[in-house]
Amino acid sequence: ENCFACHSRLPSSKQFNLGENFLGDAEMKRLPLEEQVRLAVATRQFDTALATCEKILRSTDIPASEIDLMGTFEDYLKITIRVQTDYTRAIAALGQFAKRPDVHPYLEANIQSWIEALDELGSAPLKGDEFGRGKKLIKRGQLRNRFPADRRGLVYFVAASGLLHRHVDQNAEKGRALAEPYYLLGVAESYIGNSFWVSETEFFLETSIRIAPDAPIAGQAYEFLEEFTIQEFTGSSGVDLPDDVRMQLKELRELIENAAAPQEAGAPPRLA
């Protein structure tokens, strides 16, 4: 999960023969297809990962709704957009999937929205000013979504995260200037994350806070992080935050309050 999250962030053109040999092992081929996809990305075999995703999309043994719940679309779009920048391939695969007789109306509408966005992005290459373009694409995605759980803006969020990852990678030495890009990465990831074990949203928001706890964006990042965390741990028995999570939130809140104290002497804490 961690390898997939890291390796699917930036473009890659280098071949890794060792990974190809590893995937050729008979034991690996017996894994479920969705696990083969993540393993292929972990070993940087991106063409294999895409081919396996497309095999899942064509499978008549897996219902369309189950393929959707598996996170196949999120994984596929992360690879085609962020790593391979191959909009044409993604449009073709999604268009073919949409013709399946078991595709429900909600999913068909989502796919149509994704294809439209892919076509738009493919006709106007996303080059230069990665930060500014990424910020605008997040707004486009949010406008495309009609309600909090909607996924029609998925392609815009994936594309935005790719641009922001490039910006962060190319400006690693800029320190506190990266606080807002990391915050926006957290926002984008909250829409596209599909891993139970690895939640990048919290990592990006925490990084934004720690880079510049005295910046206005730190308060926004904390509020988003706190709400996101509480929702994540909400269940039938109510909110049950583990002690280590509570302590981490408390530490970040105090970090922001302490950073603001010298500038706001005598003023109440910025965060309750």
Side-chain angles (χ1 to χ4, degrees):
E1 295 284 345
N2 280 290
C3 292
F4 181 96
C6 182
H7 294 179
S8 64
R9 291 176 180 174
L10 299 168
S12 176
S13 58
K14 184 179 178 181
Q15 290 294 113
F16 291 85
N17 296 329
L18 181 61
E20 183 177 0
N21 295 336
F22 178 70
L23 289 183
D25 186 273
E27 292 295 327
M28 300 300 105
K29 293 181 178 179
R30 283 198 279 268
L31 289 171
L33 290 177
E34 61 270 25
E35 292 186 23
Q36 290 186 36
V37 171
R38 293 190 164 251
L39 188 60
V41 173
T43 55
R44 295 186 182 275
Q45 303 303 302
F46 300 108
D47 287 334
T48 299
L50 289 179
T52 307
C53 276
E54 289 162 356
K55 186 176 180 179
I56 294 174
L57 296 178
R58 293 192 303 267
S59 175
T60 56
D61 296 328
I62 312 174
S65 57
E66 185 176 335
I67 291 174
D68 186 27
L69 292 173
M70 286 163 53
T72 302
F73 294 113
E74 285 81 359
D75 288 350
Y76 186 68
L77 289 171
K78 286 175 184 178
I79 303 168
T80 52
I81 295 175
R82 299 197 306 202
V83 181
Q84 302 285 51
T85 321
D86 194 342
Y87 303 104
T88 302
R89 181 171 184 172
I91 290 172
L94 293 178
Q96 186 63 36
F97 181 87
K99 296 177 182 178
R100 290 178 50 144
D102 61 340
V103 173
H104 293 291
Y106 87 89
L107 184 52
E108 184 179 5
N110 283 346
I111 292 173
Q112 183 57 42
S113 178
W114 301 340
I115 290 175
E116 290 174 1
L118 287 165
D119 185 57
E120 174 194 329
L121 296 176
S123 62
L126 302 173
K127 295 182 179 179
D129 188 21
E130 285 86 359
F131 172 64
R133 286 175 178 266
K135 192 172 184 177
K136 289 179 180 179
L137 285 178
I138 288 177
K139 291 182 179 179
R140 292 287 301 279
Q142 291 172 329
L143 288 173
R144 181 67 66 94
N145 282 2
R146 300 157 301 162
F147 46 86
D150 199 1
R151 295 161 63 219
R152 293 194 180 188
L154 177 63
V155 165
Y156 290 118
F157 296 125
V158 174
S161 69
L163 289 170
L164 291 166
H165 276 301
R166 289 185 218 173
H167 176 77
V168 168
D169 184 65
Q170 295 166 7
N171 298 276
E173 76 289 347
K174 290 192 175 180
R176 60 184 288 113
L178 296 179
E180 187 175 5
Y182 271 113
Y183 166 72
L184 292 174
L185 276 170
V187 173
E189 185 62 29
S190 71
Y191 290 102
I192 66 178
N194 64 329
S195 169
F196 176 79
W197 299 106
V198 179
S199 182
E200 295 181 272
T201 299
E202 289 98 325
F203 169 76
F204 293 137
L205 294 174
E206 180 179 350
T207 301
S208 173
I209 295 169
R210 292 189 182 281
I211 284 178
D214 58 330
I217 200 70
Q220 295 180 48
Y222 178 83
E223 289 170 2
F224 188 4
L225 175 61
E226 185 178 55
E227 181 177 5
F228 186 87
T229 303
I230 289 174
Q231 290 179 348
E232 194 173 42
F233 285 95
T234 298
S236 58
S237 60
V239 179
D240 185 19
L241 291 181
D243 290 341
D244 60 326
V245 174
R246 288 182 182 277
M247 291 302 297
Q248 184 178 32
L249 288 174
K250 182 175 182 291
E251 178 191 350
L252 293 173
R253 184 171 64 248
E254 290 176 347
L255 185 65
I256 295 172
E257 292 171 351
N258 291 337
Q263 304 171 21
E264 303 175 7
R270 291 168 59 185
L271 293 168

